[in-house]
Amino acid sequence: MNISLPETLTWQNEHLRLLDQRQLPQETAYLDINTLDDAWHAIQTLTVRGAPAIGVAAAYALAESMRDVASDNFVTQLKENAEYLKSARPTAVNLAWATNRLVELGTDQPSYAALVEEAEQIHAADLNICQSIGKHGATLIQPGANLLTHCNAGSLAVSRFGTATAPMYYQRNAGVPFHVYVDETRPLYQGARLTAWELEQAGIDVTLICDNMAATVMATKGVDLVIVGTDRVTANGDVVNKIGTLNLAVLCQHFGVPFYVACPSSTFDAHTPSGDQVVIEERAADEVRQQHAAQVNVYNPAFDVTPNSLVTGIITEYGIAHDNVELRKLLAG
Amino acid sequence: MNISLPETLTWQNEHLRLLDQRQLPQETAYLDINTLDDAWHAIQTLTVRGAPAIGVAAAYALAESMRDVASDNFVTQLKENAEYLKSARPTAVNLAWATNRLVELGTDQPSYAALVEEAEQIHAADLNICQSIGKHGATLIQPGANLLTHCNAGSLAVSRFGTATAPMYYQRNAGVPFHVYVDETRPLYQGARLTAWELEQAGIDVTLICDNMAATVMATKGVDLVIVGTDRVTANGDVVNKIGTLNLAVLCQHFGVPFYVACPSSTFDAHTPSGDQVVIEERAADEVRQQHAAQVNVYNPAFDVTPNSLVTGIITEYGIAHDNVELRKLLAG
């Protein structure tokens, strides 16, 4: 693509280099990962964030940590390093998945070069998936369209093109003009800090709004399409995503705006029947309180569940599914 | 009432005293108004805010400024002081209304005592209206109810009991238990800074949420009633209120939650046919950007318009109207 995308993570000169997302958008700083400890801290402190990006970063970091390990000790050390890396964010599914994949490969082929190749394959697969999501989703973005997105399901979270943002980057690259409203995404401002920044870097026309302005934007400015990412899609098509997503989906139904969810097929959780079974993480009250309300009770759910009835379609690397039948067909290939 | 309400403004020892709302909730500090300049700055810097509270404060301040004025110069000075005070917030309708009322009275009866009495009458009328709104609205709050409100249409904005909060204080005083979710109300956090604080002061069970959490609260916790205030109700019953109100009204329709608006009858604007004719103030981008997104485009409407079709009822000092016919009947007395 001929557009400027952040170098979220790169492998160069046998080193992993990470964009330091904690400093965005004020500073575009990079962090060189030279030791396993560097990687552990980068994952733990959210220097790198977003499930797929964490997985790719962990794969490279684990490979890098095995560069000078003697062959007689290789498998033992590989397993030990993998366990240590996983402890940086025990709930990150992609972190465990990527490091387990390298341990399996390294047990069969105990060599640094094989591990690097495996990490590169994980990275390449991630890029391919995002590109395919972009290609399929791009068909939804007409010239002059007004889009709206929430949180960051972008390039910063998913190696290069992102999920919700991939169709936008695809159309931007094709020279199609459109405009994106970005919800700031309280309480952690991922929309304001990350999505608005990365879309602007790519030359996309962006307007930042507060989350509570989406309704009036739909009523008075007109929104043609909402695309968001997701952390999990349950067996019935319910969508678990950043808090505020359900709010948007209800508004979309009311104002007749198509509501699309973009994600790799690996996001489908066939073992959980519906969103009702998903336990929603509640985070610290101080994230909401800030300096304004030092003592007050706070309810701070990190995610919400959007019922399948409010979802117009799900964009995957295999195509767009508009209901559960189409979804199962897509996933079955 | 036997509950603790903030002393938003008081007249004591021939002085106006204001609660300094800029320092809430960190500090409960009071500002003595000794000169007309003190009052001008207090209004200009939002030490006192909320349309009715500004009107009452201006009336007292204008009366106070005339205490030692000689009778031969009284009317000229009164008019001059009134004009100066109005310049503190030229768009505040209640500021102009209250000062004009004192100028009219003072032209007929050029005496300091008469002006103070008039200011006290304005204040008393405001208190009575809020109490009546509270009494009528209280019938909507059942024991154990879960309420949700937005922004601050509270004691801090409307001398003592507020509008949206008046039914809550009425029931609290009656010993009826209930719980209130308070939207933080981006971008200026009036819910987090002011409403959560004043409800807590009165011993009401409060939980602060981000604006984008209202949908999941309705879906998973259950909300029985939403009450908000309003800046203007147009002739067809459309409601102009703080940005985010339309968002809540759409959610209420979707989740079957009654959506009520509380306001004095003076809020009705019979000369504006509908919300379509209301020009919405757009405020500075930096209110939204904060430190997070220094350069990005921002859309920052201060208010939105909720169509009458989404309003369950309007609570006034005369009773509750559920449609335009009932509303006209109420207003006609």
Side-chain angles (χ1 to χ4, degrees):
Chain A
M1 290 198 189
N2 286 323
I3 53 173
S4 166
L5 289 172
E7 296 287 354
T8 306
L9 58 86
T10 50
W11 176 255
Q12 49 191 5
N13 303 324
E14 309 199 46
H15 280 293
L16 173 63
R17 168 174 278 196
L18 298 174
L19 176 61
D20 188 346
Q21 300 196 27
R22 297 166 303 175
Q23 300 193 49
L24 289 176
Q26 287 85 350
E27 279 192 56
T28 308
Y30 296 90
L31 191 70
D32 284 310
I33 302 298
N34 293 312
T35 69
L36 197 64
D37 264 338
D38 289 348
W40 191 93
H41 284 287
I43 292 170
Q44 215 267 329
T45 60
L46 307 187
T47 305
V48 59
R49 45 160 288 289
I54 290 173
V56 175
Y60 279 127
L62 183 57
E64 185 181 337
S65 76
M66 298 301 295
R67 189 170 48 214
D68 303 317
V69 176
S71 59
D72 57 348
N73 191 35
F74 199 90
V75 175
T76 311
Q77 189 68 52
L78 177 63
K79 287 178 178 169
E80 197 176 295
N81 289 3
E83 286 311 306
Y84 176 64
L85 208 51
K86 279 193 268 188
S87 73
R89 280 189 81 182
T91 57
V93 175
N94 290 52
L95 171 56
W97 173 83
T99 51
N100 289 347
R101 196 167 138 177
L102 259 70
V103 168
E104 211 169 300
L105 187 275
T107 307
D108 283 351
Q109 303 174 46
S111 96
Y112 163 67
L115 293 180
V116 170
E117 200 178 308
E118 187 72 0
E120 285 173 334
Q121 278 179 17
I122 290 173
H123 195 183
D126 192 46
L127 293 178
N128 278 336
I129 287 170
C130 292
Q131 278 182 303
S132 296
I133 290 173
K135 191 178 164 186
H136 293 300
T139 59
L140 302 170
I141 304 176
Q142 303 305 314
N146 231 348
L147 276 67
L148 194 152
T149 189
H150 188 72
C151 197
N152 181 261
S155 175
L156 292 165
V158 197
S159 45
R160 197 153 167 71
F161 307 105
T163 52
T165 54
M168 304 177 199
Y169 292 133
Y170 192 95
Q171 289 298 67
R172 168 68 186 153
N173 191 52
V176 174
F178 60 93
H179 169 261
V180 185
Y181 285 102
V182 176
D183 272 358
E184 65 175 8
T185 317
R186 280 284 286 152
L188 295 180
Y189 297 106
Q190 292 93 336
R193 290 190 297 116
L194 305 176
T195 306
W197 179 82
E198 68 165 87
L199 293 178
E200 276 210 326
Q201 294 291 305
I204 292 172
D205 188 15
V206 171
T207 302
L208 177 67
I209 58 171
C210 295
D211 301 326
N212 65 20
M213 296 171 186
T216 204
V217 163
M218 289 183 189
T220 64
K221 304 277 180 184
V223 172
D224 302 299
L225 176 66
V226 168
I227 310 182
V228 298
T230 175
D231 289 74
R232 204 194 312 190
V233 178
T234 59
N236 71 336
D238 288 353
V239 170
V240 183
N241 191 40
K242 184 63 57 193
I243 188 70
T245 302
L246 172 61
N247 187 63
L248 271 187
V250 171
L251 295 180
C252 281
Q253 189 187 51
H254 181 81
F255 291 105
V257 178
F259 178 83
Y260 280 88
V261 176
C263 61
S265 59
S266 58
T267 310
F268 289 95
D269 172 9
H271 303 295
T272 303
S274 79
D276 296 343
Q277 287 84 45
V278 177
V279 178
I280 298 297
E281 173 191 0
E282 288 186 36
R283 295 177 56 89
D286 280 348
E287 284 182 359
V288 175
R289 280 191 198 126
Q290 297 181 304
Q291 72 277 36
H292 298 310
Q295 300 304 323
V296 72
N297 291 329
V298 166
Y299 174 54
N300 184 16
F303 302 96
D304 58 25
V305 175
T306 299
N308 57 21
S309 60
L310 294 176
V311 178
T312 311
I314 297 184
I315 311 163
T316 77
E317 68 271 33
Y318 301 123
I320 303 177
H322 292 89
D323 57 37
N324 283 349
V325 178
E326 285 186 21
L327 196 54
R328 275 191 290 272
K329 266 194 201 163
L330 274 188
L331 296 179
Chain B
M1 291 197 187
N2 286 322
I3 52 173
S4 167
L5 289 172
E7 296 287 354
T8 306
L9 57 87
T10 51
W11 175 255
Q12 49 191 5
N13 302 325
E14 310 199 46
H15 279 293
L16 172 63
R17 169 174 277 194
L18 298 174
L19 176 61
D20 188 346
Q21 300 197 26
R22 298 166 303 176
Q23 300 193 48
L24 290 176
Q26 287 86 349
E27 279 192 57
T28 309
Y30 296 90
L31 190 71
D32 284 310
I33 301 299
N34 293 312
T35 68
L36 196 65
D37 263 339
D38 289 348
W40 191 94
H41 285 288
I43 292 170
Q44 215 267 330
T45 60
L46 306 187
T47 304
V48 59
R49 48 158 287 288
I54 290 173
V56 176
Y60 279 127
L62 183 56
E64 185 181 337
S65 76
M66 299 301 296
R67 190 170 48 214
D68 303 317
V69 176
S71 60
D72 58 347
N73 191 35
F74 198 90
V75 176
T76 310
Q77 188 68 52
L78 177 62
K79 287 179 179 170
E80 197 177 295
N81 288 2
E83 286 311 306
Y84 176 63
L85 208 51
K86 279 193 267 187
S87 73
R89 279 189 83 182
T91 58
V93 175
N94 291 53
L95 171 57
W97 172 83
T99 52
N100 289 346
R101 197 167 137 177
L102 259 71
V103 167
E104 211 170 300
L105 186 276
T107 305
D108 282 352
Q109 303 175 46
S111 96
Y112 163 66
L115 292 181
V116 170
E117 200 179 305
E118 186 73 0
E120 285 173 335
Q121 278 180 17
I122 290 173
H123 195 183
D126 192 47
L127 292 177
N128 278 336
I129 287 170
C130 292
Q131 277 182 304
S132 296
I133 290 172
K135 190 177 165 186
H136 293 300
T139 60
L140 302 170
I141 304 177
Q142 303 304 315
N146 231 347
L147 277 66
L148 194 152
T149 190
H150 188 71
C151 197
N152 180 261
S155 176
L156 292 165
V158 197
S159 41
R160 197 152 166 73
F161 306 106
T163 53
T165 54
M168 305 178 198
Y169 292 133
Y170 191 96
Q171 289 299 66
R172 167 69 187 156
N173 190 51
V176 174
F178 60 94
H179 169 261
V180 184
Y181 285 101
V182 176
D183 273 357
E184 65 175 6
T185 317
R186 280 284 287 151
L188 295 181
Y189 297 106
Q190 291 94 336
R193 290 190 296 117
L194 305 176
T195 305
W197 179 82
E198 67 164 87
L199 293 177
E200 276 211 326
Q201 294 292 304
I204 292 172
D205 188 15
V206 171
T207 302
L208 177 65
I209 58 172
C210 295
D211 301 326
N212 65 21
M213 296 172 186
T216 203
V217 164
M218 290 183 188
T220 65
K221 305 277 179 184
V223 171
D224 302 299
L225 176 65
V226 168
I227 310 182
V228 299
T230 175
D231 289 75
R232 202 193 314 189
V233 178
T234 58
N236 70 335
D238 288 353
V239 170
V240 182
N241 192 38
K242 184 63 56 194
I243 188 71
T245 302
L246 172 61
N247 187 62
L248 271 187
V250 171
L251 295 179
C252 281
Q253 188 187 54
H254 182 81
F255 291 105
V257 178
F259 178 83
Y260 281 89
V261 176
C263 61
S265 59
S266 59
T267 310
F268 289 95
D269 172 8
H271 302 296
T272 303
S274 80
D276 295 343
Q277 286 84 45
V278 177
V279 178
I280 299 297
E281 173 192 1
E282 288 186 36
R283 295 177 56 87
D286 280 348
E287 285 182 359
V288 176
R289 281 190 197 127
Q290 296 182 306
Q291 72 276 38
H292 298 309
Q295 299 304 322
V296 72
N297 292 329
V298 166
Y299 174 55
N300 183 16
F303 302 95
D304 59 26
V305 175
T306 299
N308 57 19
S309 59
L310 295 176
V311 178
T312 310
I314 297 184
I315 311 164
T316 77
E317 68 270 33
Y318 301 123
I320 303 178
H322 292 89
D323 57 36
N324 283 351
V325 178
E326 285 185 24
L327 195 55
R328 273 191 291 271
K329 266 194 200 162
L330 274 188
L331 295 180

